[in-house]
Amino acid sequence: MKNDIYLRRSRKVIVMQEQHTLPDTYLATALKNISALGFTFSPALMAALRTLSIFSFVKWHKKLTKSLKKLVGAHVQYCPMYPNFPQQVMEASEAELYLEALFHYLTEELPALTPDKREPLVDQIELKVIELGDEEDFRQMMRKLIEANTSISETDKADLAWTIEHEEQVEKLLPAVIPQKEQIGFVAAALLRCGKTDAALIRPYFKTATDVLRLAVALSDGDVSLAASTPFRKFKRAERRLLLELLEQCSDITEDMLRYRERWIRLGEILHPSEYKQRFASCHAAFDVLRNNKPFETFNRNVEEALRYFDTDRAVEHLLERPGEFARRLDHLLRLEGNDFDWVVSFFDSVADRVATPVLLQVMAHFKHRQQANELRLFFPKGNVAKAFALPDSRFPIPSDACESVVNICENILLVRFAKQPDMGKVFIDERLQHYMVPFSQRSASKALRTLVRGSKLSMPAGDTIRFFLWWKEGKVEGKETGRTDIDLSAALYDEKWNYMEHISYTNLKSEKYVAMHSGDIVAAPKGACEFIDLYIPSIVAYGGRYVVTTLHAFTGQVFCDLPECFAGWMMRQYPQSGEVFDPATVVDRIDLASNTQISIPVVLDLKERTVIWCDLALTRNPNYYNNIESHQTGVVAMGKAMTAMAKPNLYDLFRLHALARGELVERAEEAQTVFSPQHGITPFDVEAIMASFLAS
């Protein structure tokens, strides 16, 4: 399991070296086997494997192969409706396609089509290198997850929980400070479940009442982001005392508890604070205010009231007490003041050094692009589901001088802050990192072959045909049958101005204008089912096409998290008729679909720029229509427009600030001691290191 986590997160593995000499034939065979999956070993890893006995190596290799197959989606069998896809679909008439689809809908059996012998894969594959790792590096990787200054995903939490349970020296995982509030509750709960902590060890992490609420939620297997309510389980007496003890040590607990009043009332019914009113007097008094609705003036109420009456002076007076909140409301304040903005900016300048690094970076990027005219604004509500909302941008403008002043304030503070960190020497930053977003919030990120941040733009590998794939299975989940399950893979094509051109889906298996086709609509998956879409890029661009939005629709209404397994991804092919329809060596990305939704948008393609925009988004279906691409065109277009125009902090700007503050920029990677690039040195996929080391306050 440790190597599974290590391989997926860092493309590294641990080898328990021995004193043997492995015959070359075994190592060569292993290299041949994993090359078919798109991987190879580094020289250091090969040297370590040569020390193993044949028995140890074969055992290790079996586990590795199983993990690699799972990573790229090669652990299941792919039987598309048309086994000779794509040629078979291209050559079939509309009548043939219709009759074969009708046969399948009536019988749920695939048409009796004979697969031809396919030519071997002739595409040139760039193999992904697996490096040699070690126990300490793995431990530091997981420690950086705990130290992350942003929220982490459910996959991250699962990896951390396993590591905490199996780590013998768990104290080495724990930093002095856990900066992100959600991690505090989750990590403390994981430690408590394993019996690896006590109140003395975790007490320093808890500063606010909401920290304690998150712990109670985590112990009840709930959403520590608090975006959704959690039914609390019954706590043991020792757990009740611990929660009350942690709450008692926090300051200003009444106001903080009022933010989540109803949840605290429900939790209080389980904690019974009145039993400990002498020992935990502050807790008892706070619960008394909540339960009996006693008057209590709060910070947020004062700020909201001031803004409601356009009393900027009073709002700023309150916001000076909480610089982070001041930063988040700065756009609103500047809109209210118009050209008389100097005094608001001046007050922000006086407290900006107390604003967290992630917030400063977001404020800086926001005001850097504030003057740009955008049709839509994109919002990602807090929570474990990757939902997004796009609304018309109707905000009043802000003077350019005000925007420039705010950007300069943020940049100057960040430079001073970053200068306190260790020197990086000569630094090279690849300009392509401008297309990769900073990982501020990963809580709703799906498990994938590569960890990416929404809005990041990846260059397509060489090849003219992009092949999307989908695999799902119906069956039993936690004792409940899913019933017949039909998931549909679709792709909608748009021009430069987002005008609809065509879609490829179960309702339109092939295009008459472009080289684009679907492998056939499968409507049941008792043994697993798959669908593919091929898009020949030059043919679409030649007709004025630019954008492609890929979507996945649960036609039969199940949410993705209620399926035994469901995942999607894409391959790049130059010779699509060669090799198998699903060839693991050509897989570029694979993503698990496990959200509590019925529509997913994995990626958007910009064919003109040859980029893949990572979305990993969920849409809400319209209950009055069939769940397919035709019924959700408005939402699909809105998400596509918003994702392609999204202006968020990018990694190039973040690393540049670090280089200016604590290094020397150079123009060639060969000259540098520290390298930032998509493939070498610190990459966009080193999410743990970025969140912990480069977003530190």
Side-chain angles (χ1 to χ4, degrees), residues 539-612:
S539 72
I540 298 172
V541 173
Y543 269 89
R546 177 166 183 178
Y547 298 110
V548 177
V549 181
T550 60
T551 58
L552 303 152
H553 298 260
F555 186 85
T556 44
Q558 297 91 341
V559 293
F560 296 123
C561 63
D562 286 346
L563 301 179
E565 189 169 12
C566 184
F567 59 86
W570 59 280
M571 298 171 267
M572 184 58 75
R573 309 289 285 263
Q574 184 61 37
Y575 305 97
Q577 200 61 43
S578 75
E580 298 301 321
V581 178
F582 178 87
D583 197 302
T586 65
V587 172
V588 181
D589 278 306
R590 186 197 67 83
I591 182 171
D592 282 349
L593 301 172
S595 62
N596 187 28
T597 55
Q598 299 171 359
I599 305 174
S600 175
I601 301 178
V603 295
V604 171
L605 307 182
D606 183 339
L607 301 184
K608 181 179 178 181
E609 299 293 333
R610 285 190 62 94
T611 58
V612 176

Side-chain angles (χ1 to χ4, degrees), residues 390-427:
L391 299 176
D393 190 352
S394 57
R395 295 170 299 175
F396 289 112
I398 292 174
S400 58
D401 290 351
C403 295
E404 186 178 345
S405 296
V406 173
V407 170
N408 290 335
I409 289 169
C410 295
E411 183 167 320
N412 290 335
I413 290 171
L414 289 170
L415 288 171
V416 171
R417 185 173 294 174
F418 294 159
K420 298 175 183 177
Q421 297 186 32
D423 184 83
M424 296 194 302
K426 293 183 177 180
V427 181

